[in-house]
Amino acid sequence: MRILLVEDEQGVANFIKKGLEEERYTVDLVTDGQAGLEHGLTGQYDLLILDLMLPKKSGFEVAKGLRDTGIQTPILMLTAKISVQDKVKGLDVGADDYLTKPFSFEEFLARVRALLRRKQTEMIKLEVGDLEVNTLSHRVFLDGKELVLRPKEYAILEYLVRAKDCVVSRTQILENVWGYDFDPTTNVVDVHIKSIRKKLEELTPKEYISTVRGVGYMVTTTPK
Amino acid sequence: MRILLVEDEQGVANFIKKGLEEERYTVDLVTDGQAGLEHGLTGQYDLLILDLMLPKKSGFEVAKGLRDTGIQTPILMLTAKISVQDKVKGLDVGADDYLTKPFSFEEFLARVRALLRRKQTEMIKLEVGDLEVNTLSHRVFLDGKELVLRPKEYAILEYLVRAKDCVVSRTQILENVWGYDFDPTTNVVDVHIKSIRKKLEELTPKEYISTVRGVGYMVTTTPK
DNA sequence: ACCGAAGATGAAAAGAATTTCATTCTCGCC
DNA sequence: GGCGAGAATGAAATTCTTTTCATCTTCGGT
């Protein structure tokens, strides 16, 4: 289990890092919010532990930055005594739990364990406008009506919806849906996109998949 | 959003119930642990709020009873000041969060919102011995090696794994995997079971799927 | 030990999904 | 306005998945 600890007080940081490592967790430590945000975005962590008062970016800003980009990693915030309003704010920007300094290391570990129990979870319903992609059942609904898609169609749509509002290229789609074993001259993606669009049109006049010429496709609710 | 509140102090219970209802949550209230466990097992709740000190069963026992039966509903525990050891115990038996009385209703609501954000999650990896079924990607691994299954094979195996250690009949499998549109005389399930078994055998001598004659099939790690 | 029901099996048939490819259409640049 | 690249399209070909079915094997009851 990999944990990112963002804490600028060296004594506290070392105490926590050492204690977690004695429990067999792998711990990366950074000392300011900017680095914390960058590591949180790019690293594959199972848990983030953030101090609130940090140089460069506060724990609030780190949490918000992560949640805004769809990062679901659990976040445990460490704070000195602060106002209820600030605690509420922290939970609302995306922290999962709070611990107020000073705290018992036993309780700290128990909270870490509770948060890590939820590591293996993910949003199961992706939504774009009235389109709902259920990533467990691999079924898609539009305004409550099922959009019956073949496996490849589903995989392409899910990929596009996960990258909502971002253009993805055919190559990215091929790599993600087919893996690396594909013919680079193929127009098979275009064929499937056509098929998905046709099925969408049967249920709504609204356009969900846009073409960005020379780049690729994207799912959006705000048409060009 | 439906919330189950288990609290025996009438004043506290009414205060919380009313406050949550003003925030448009639907709240069921019960006053002892036994009823809390029963409601938690059978009701479809988005969140459980448990007092610790309850008649008949403690909040610990309720939480443990729910987690032991696979209930994943988030649990917020309310306590008077208790020892760190008891807090640790509560988190370890399955509570997701604690709030210590007396508490600010604003903070309480923020914690409720934080827990409810995780409502739409579920275990994505089902595991039986060395078999791991990823319900998001619909891929199956055995000792780290992928077991490549066709869609129908995957659906049958997932169904059996979800009902681990329980016998399920061919009719149940047909209803769950095919829906209600099937020929009752078909042996298509047997054919697919054979195929799944064959693929499993290629990776391990261990038997995962047992036949219960005249009843059906089950997945287990403890062979008959 | 025998028998019949239940389960397993192999292979062909049928159905579904995906890919290929030739052609047409569209769009942005000059 | 013309042109060429990029995208879209329809339909056939190919591949893959599922079902069917006849036959064999197994198991539990008598």
Side-chain angles (χ1 to χ4, degrees), chain A residues 67 73-76 91 94-98 115 118, chain B residues 97 114 118:
Chain A
R67 296 292 183 244
T73 310
I75 296 175
L76 172 61
L91 289 165
D96 296 277
D97 199 2
Y98 261 90
L115 290 171
R118 288 190 294 272
Chain B
D97 200 359
R118 288 190 294 272

Side-chain angles (χ1 to χ4, degrees), chain B residues 53-110:
Chain B
M53 312 301 298
L54 290 168
K56 294 186 180 169
K57 284 184 187 295
S58 72
F60 287 152
E61 291 170 303
V62 176
K64 187 167 174 21
L66 293 170
R67 296 293 183 241
D68 284 350
T69 57
I71 301 290
Q72 299 291 325
T73 310
I75 297 174
L76 172 61
M77 256 183 192
L78 304 179
T79 68
K81 284 191 184 311
I82 58 170
S83 69
V84 165
Q85 281 72 29
D86 278 339
K87 276 190 172 179
V88 168
K89 182 177 172 184
L91 290 166
D92 280 347
V93 298
D96 294 279
D97 200 359
Y98 261 89
L99 207 50
T100 306
K101 297 171 179 174
F103 48 80
S104 133
F105 198 74
E106 272 183 282
E107 180 178 355
F108 169 77
L109 282 182

Side-chain angles (χ1 to χ4, degrees), chain A residues 152-203:
Chain A
K152 275 291 176 25
E153 291 166 346
Y154 170 83
I156 292 171
L157 185 62
E158 185 196 316
Y159 185 66
L160 290 174
V161 168
R162 283 193 190 282
K164 179 169 67 174
D165 296 322
C166 295
V167 184
V168 292
S169 68
R170 286 172 185 76
T171 300
Q172 285 175 287
I173 297 172
L174 285 162
E175 283 168 1
N176 184 265
V177 175
W178 277 261
Y180 286 84
D181 182 23
F182 60 87
D183 173 1
T185 66
T186 188
N187 73 330
V188 71
V189 172
D190 303 274
V191 175
H192 284 299
I193 292 287
K194 160 69 178 180
S195 175
I196 296 166
R197 277 172 165 156
K198 188 173 180 184
K199 290 178 176 180
L200 284 165
E201 277 159 26
E202 284 166 13
L203 295 185

Side-chain angles (χ1 to χ4, degrees), chain A residues 74-92:
Chain A
I75 296 175
L76 172 61
M77 259 185 190
L78 304 178
T79 68
K81 284 191 182 313
I82 57 171
S83 70
V84 166
Q85 282 72 29
D86 278 340
K87 275 188 171 180
V88 167
K89 182 177 171 183
L91 289 165
D92 280 347

Side-chain angles (χ1 to χ4, degrees), chain B residues 188-201:
Chain B
V188 71
V189 172
D190 303 274
V191 176
H192 284 299
I193 292 289
K194 161 70 177 181
S195 175
I196 296 166
R197 277 172 166 156
K198 189 173 179 185
K199 290 179 176 179
L200 283 165
E201 277 159 26

Side-chain angles (χ1 to χ4, degrees), chain B residues 3-208:
Chain B
I3 295 176
L4 177 67
L5 172 61
V6 190
E7 168 65 73
D8 61 317
E9 290 179 44
Q10 191 169 348
V12 175
N14 287 343
F15 169 69
I16 292 175
K17 184 166 158 53
K18 198 161 294 210
L20 287 171
E21 285 169 343
E22 282 171 9
E23 299 294 323
R24 302 283 182 253
Y25 297 107
T26 302
V27 182
D28 289 344
L29 167 65
V30 297
T31 55
D32 67 83
Q34 181 63 38
L37 180 55
E38 288 166 4
H39 278 70
L41 286 170
T42 59
Q44 293 292 325
Y45 293 103
D46 300 303
L47 174 66
L48 304 180
I49 302 176
L50 304 180
D51 194 14
L52 180 54
M53 312 301 298
L54 290 168
K56 294 186 180 169
K57 284 184 187 295
S58 72
F60 287 152
E61 291 170 303
V62 176
K64 187 167 174 21
L66 293 170
R67 296 293 183 241
D68 284 350
T69 57
I71 301 290
Q72 299 291 325
T73 310
I75 297 174
L76 172 61
M77 256 183 192
L78 304 179
T79 68
K81 284 191 184 311
I82 58 170
S83 69
V84 165
Q85 281 72 29
D86 278 339
K87 276 190 172 179
V88 168
K89 182 177 172 184
L91 290 166
D92 280 347
V93 298
D96 294 279
D97 200 359
Y98 261 89
L99 207 50
T100 306
K101 297 171 179 174
F103 48 80
S104 133
F105 198 74
E106 272 183 282
E107 180 178 355
F108 169 77
L109 282 182
R111 286 186 184 276
V112 164
R113 286 195 294 270
L115 289 171
L116 287 173
R117 268 199 301 276
R118 288 190 294 272
K119 164 63 179 71
Q120 291 183 346
T121 63
E122 194 182 304
M123 275 306 199
I124 65 171
K125 286 181 179 177
L126 307 174
E127 297 181 11
V128 180
D130 294 324
L131 191 64
E132 175 187 298
V133 176
N134 186 310
T135 63
L136 281 173
S137 63
H138 289 201
R139 295 170 80 187
V140 178
F141 298 87
L142 192 58
D143 262 329
K145 293 184 221 119
E146 184 167 11
L147 193 72
V148 179
L149 299 179
R150 304 297 133 204
K152 277 287 176 27
E153 291 167 344
Y154 171 82
I156 292 171
L157 186 61
E158 186 196 315
Y159 185 66
L160 290 174
V161 169
R162 284 192 188 283
K164 179 168 68 174
D165 294 324
C166 295
V167 184
V168 293
S169 68
R170 286 172 184 78
T171 301
Q172 285 175 287
I173 296 172
L174 285 161
E175 284 169 2
N176 183 264
V177 176
W178 278 262
Y180 286 83
D181 182 24
F182 59 87
D183 173 0
T185 67
T186 185
N187 76 329
V188 71
V189 172
D190 303 274
V191 176
H192 284 299
I193 292 289
K194 161 70 177 181
S195 175
I196 296 166
R197 277 172 166 156
K198 189 173 179 185
K199 290 179 176 179
L200 283 165
E201 277 159 26
E202 285 166 11
L203 294 185
T204 180
K206 203 171 173 184
E207 194 176 298
Y208 282 89

